[in-house]
């Protein structure tokens, strides 16, 4: 059963690296104990880029815990200070027992005292690669479809690490997050795209991405 392994929140901060100064809330930190989950996300969690993040369909960012084992192996990260782990790509919920193939667009889950719904994959951004400091990380994330995904909040409540997900409804079993990712990042599937564009639960931003993919505008 899907379970919240780690819950993390963050605030926009200025960071400086070899490329200069940049603002982001991606350096989220784990929080212990219960946290209120509101319609726009976890209390005490904010985003810096309100143009591309912070919509109702991006209330909670999720990432599978299993992906970190993969990245540590591929990049040969073996020391504690270099190994990636829960929260490394800035997600709110690091999930055990789940990958993009295990959840579908529109899935509704009871978590803690809240209810959430899968709204679409997380689209990889340059800030993730900048944070982890690994060459080619963004490209490899797209190629391997290890993106994580977003949730919208249907019913606010209280959630915490250790909470399990109880599936209440699966409306579109053929439209897994993995299938949407594959359509956008690997081989465009017009049938998947057509069905996805008709799904009201899919985030509008992802509908634009699939429409662009249909026109050959994505890499």
């Amino acid at each position: 059963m899907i379970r919240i392994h780690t819950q993390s929140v963050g605030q926009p901060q200025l960071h400086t690296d070899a490329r200069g100064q940049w603002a982001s809330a991606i350096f989220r930190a784990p929080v212990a104990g219960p946290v209120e989950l509101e319609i726009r996300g976890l209390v005490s969690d904010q985003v810096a880029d309100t143009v591309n993040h912070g919509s109702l369909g991006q209330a909670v960012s999720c990432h599978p815990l299993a992906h970190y084992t993969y990245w540590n192996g591929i990049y040969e990260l073996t020391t504690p200070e270099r190994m990636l782990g829960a929260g490394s790509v800035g997600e709110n919920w690091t999930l055990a027992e789940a990958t993009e193939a295990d959840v579908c667009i529109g899935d509704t889950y009871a978590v803690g005292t809240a209810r959430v719904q899968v709204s679409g994959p997380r689209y990889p951004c340059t800030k993730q690669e900048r944070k982890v400091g690994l060459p080619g990380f963004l490209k490899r994330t797209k190629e391997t479809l290890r993106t994580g995904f977003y949730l919208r909040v249907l019913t606010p409540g209280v959630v915490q690490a250790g909470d399990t997900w109880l599936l209440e409804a699966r409306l579109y079993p053929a439209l897994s997050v993995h299938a949407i990712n594959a359509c956008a990042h690997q081989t465009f599937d017009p049938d998947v795209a057509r069905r996805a564009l008709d799904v009201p639960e899919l985030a509008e931003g992802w509908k634009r991405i699939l429409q662009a993919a249909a026109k050959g505008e994505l890499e």
Side-chain angles (χ1 to χ4, degrees):
M1 182 176 288
I2 301 173
R3 174 175 52 86
I4 302 175
H5 176 276
T6 303
Q7 180 164 248
S8 304
V9 299
Q11 296 286 318
Q13 298 179 7
L14 286 176
H15 308 279
T16 303
D17 57 19
R19 294 168 56 186
Q21 194 174 71
W22 55 297
S24 180
I26 198 170
F27 288 82
R28 291 184 167 86
V31 289
V35 177
E36 290 187 17
L37 177 62
E38 300 180 337
I39 290 295
R40 288 199 172 273
L42 294 165
V43 170
S44 300
D45 188 72
Q46 293 185 6
V47 297
D49 179 2
T50 57
V51 174
N52 297 301
H53 302 287
S55 70
L56 293 178
Q58 298 171 314
V60 182
S61 173
C62 300
H63 200 79
L65 180 65
H67 291 349
Y68 291 123
T69 299
Y70 173 83
W71 292 122
N72 288 332
I74 288 293
Y75 282 98
E76 299 181 344
L77 307 176
T78 58
T79 59
E81 65 272 16
R82 289 296 294 139
M83 291 178 69
L84 301 185
S88 286
V89 294
E91 72 272 16
N92 298 118
W93 288 353
T94 310
L95 301 178
E97 307 301 327
T99 70
E100 293 80 359
D102 298 315
V103 297
C104 300
I105 306 304
D107 277 4
T108 300
Y109 293 90
V111 185
T113 62
R115 293 172 61 249
V116 298
Q117 184 178 65
V118 178
S119 58
R122 182 181 182 183
Y123 198 89
C125 71
T126 56
K127 289 182 179 180
Q128 291 168 262
E129 182 170 321
R130 199 168 183 177
K131 179 182 183 297
V132 299
L134 299 172
F137 185 81
L138 178 61
K139 182 174 184 289
R140 283 181 167 181
T141 296
K142 291 180 180 180
E143 289 175 345
T144 64
L145 310 183
R146 287 176 164 83
T147 64
F149 54 92
Y150 280 115
L151 306 172
R152 64 172 53 87
V153 177
L154 300 180
T155 304
V158 177
V159 293
Q160 61 183 325
D163 282 347
T164 55
W165 290 28
L166 176 63
L167 180 64
E168 293 185 336
R170 172 158 290 172
L171 305 175
Y172 313 103
L175 293 178
S176 67
V177 171
H178 182 275
I180 301 295
N181 267 337
C183 188
H185 300 306
Q186 291 184 342
T187 302
F188 181 75
D189 186 328
D191 183 57
V192 169
R194 277 193 298 270
R195 281 182 288 166
L197 291 172
D198 288 335
V199 170
E201 292 81 3
L202 180 64
E204 289 301 315
W206 262 97
K207 292 186 179 182
R208 292 192 290 271
I209 290 169
L210 292 176
Q211 288 166 343
K215 297 176 182 177
E217 295 176 8
L218 294 179
E219 295 180 2

